[in-house]
Amino acid sequence: MESVGVDEMSESIIPGLPNDLALRCLVMISHGYHGLLECVSKRWKRAIRSKYYADLKAEGGWSGDWLFVLGSNNSAMWLAYDPDVDRWRPLPQMPGPTSDEEFCRFSCANICNKFLVIGGCYIPRSTVWSETNLSEVNSVIVFDTFKKEWSTAASMSTKRIDFACTAIGEKVYVAGGRNSDKLQGLASAQILRVLITILDTSTDPRALAVACYDLSQFIKYHPAGRIIVSDLKAKDRVMKLMNHENAEVTKNALLCIQRLFLGAKYASFLQS
């Protein structure tokens, strides 16, 4: 995306209006009409594809919500539904899959006005499906909704299929899943490390509350949950959140510590 600021645009976007005001008018138009807006002039196209425009749209809450769906007959063709204009739009073909391959068992996330397709596997269409003829990947493919282009981002350290994925703040977290080397599933400790990373780095109260709750659930249901969480030194991190200003964070941190010290049975009794 071009990093063009409003002060760097020498030509008027809308004659008679300052460029800053003109852009603030344009950001209120649904994303689904960007194709038409870009046809007005080259300066409009540059402005709408600029990072400054994207930041203004996000700041004002005008980015909109799109639904992305993968086509059934072509594993590289995605469709996007824009509820503001009640219209489906085809995306450019995603790099990677060929017409002879089926792409599946991936995960998706949305972050910073970008749509991410993460991991997954390729299966030849000409062969009978089995766990032995699939090819897992650790790739991260990114669609920029403003530039309308696909690109690749840094790959995951591990190839994964059937895994969990979520975006928190400006970061994407993946956990669990499996691959041909770990058919029974990737180590559950990886999921715990993701939760602990959230406790260390996130300032979002909802993310912190969910992380504490998930840790408490792991302690409750895993036979060795208390030992594993203690070995990963999560206790001190959670205890710091017991005095958090957000009541939901405090409540879930307290529940996690109760289960860590007292066990699931007695912690549930105290909670009730």
Side-chain angles (χ1 to χ4, degrees):
M1 188 177 295
E2 300 175 25
S3 57
V4 179
V6 66
D7 295 332
E8 300 172 42
M9 300 176 185
S10 56
E11 302 173 308
S12 295
I13 300 172
I14 300 177
L17 286 180
N19 280 346
D20 182 54
L21 180 57
L23 278 177
R24 292 184 181 277
C25 292
L26 292 179
V27 297
M28 291 185 279
I29 299 176
S30 170
H31 204 103
Y33 292 113
H34 278 190
L36 294 175
L37 296 179
E38 290 180 4
C39 294
V40 173
S41 67
K42 290 183 178 179
R43 73 174 72 106
W44 277 44
K45 183 176 182 179
R46 286 196 300 271
I48 289 171
R49 295 196 175 196
S50 69
K51 185 176 185 301
Y52 183 76
Y53 177 84
D55 291 342
L56 274 180
K57 205 166 180 67
E59 177 187 318
W62 296 100
S63 292
D65 296 315
W66 280 16
L67 173 66
F68 294 91
V69 178
L70 181 60
S72 59
N73 297 324
N74 186 339
S75 294
M77 183 57 69
W78 287 83
L79 300 173
Y81 174 69
D82 183 352
D84 290 339
V85 295
D86 189 25
R87 186 178 302 172
W88 286 92
R89 295 181 178 276
L91 304 187
Q93 182 161 317
M94 183 179 72
T98 66
S99 58
D100 298 327
E101 296 174 315
E102 181 179 352
F103 181 54
C104 57
R105 302 168 78 172
F106 51 85
S107 287
C108 301
N110 289 292
I111 187 170
C112 300
N113 298 315
K114 293 180 175 61
F115 173 61
L116 281 62
V117 181
I118 307 171
C121 64
Y122 298 113
I123 303 174
R125 294 183 184 273
S126 58
T127 61
V128 178
W129 181 90
S130 73
E131 291 286 351
T132 58
N133 64 9
L134 56 81
S135 176
E136 302 115 335
V137 295
N138 60 350
S139 60
V140 178
I141 307 175
V142 182
F143 181 71
D144 189 313
T145 58
F146 285 89
K147 294 182 71 174
K148 301 176 180 62
E149 295 176 352
W150 290 97
S151 61
T152 56
S155 299
M156 296 184 292
S157 58
T158 305
K159 296 178 181 179
R160 294 175 189 266
I161 58 174
D162 305 330
F163 59 95
C165 172
T166 189
I168 300 176
E170 296 185 356
K171 295 183 180 180
V172 175
Y173 296 90
V174 299
R178 58 199 181 98
N179 58 35
S180 54
D181 296 327
K182 300 281 187 179
L183 291 177
Q184 299 303 316
L186 297 167
S188 59
Q190 292 184 353
I191 302 175
L192 296 181
R193 291 190 182 97
V194 171
L195 296 176
I196 292 171
T197 299
I198 293 173
L199 296 180
D200 284 337
T201 61
S202 180
T203 58
D204 181 0
R206 184 176 64 174
L208 294 172
V210 170
C212 289
Y213 176 79
D214 287 350
L215 281 173
S216 71
Q217 292 296 95
F218 180 83
I219 296 169
K220 179 179 180 179
Y221 291 107
H222 196 288
R226 294 170 67 188
I227 297 173
I228 295 173
V229 171
S230 296
D231 287 346
L232 291 173
K233 299 185 171 35
K235 181 187 72 174
D236 292 341
R237 295 172 170 89
V238 176
M239 289 188 71
K240 290 179 181 178
L241 297 175
M242 291 174 62
N243 295 319
H244 196 276
E245 59 185 11
N246 183 276
E248 198 67 21
V249 175
T250 301
K251 182 183 78 172
N252 284 286
L254 178 60
L255 176 62
C256 183
I257 292 299
Q258 286 175 346
R259 286 180 173 165
L260 189 60
F261 281 108
L262 304 176
K265 177 181 177 181
Y266 296 105
S268 298
F269 173 76
L270 289 175
Q271 186 184 23
S272 62

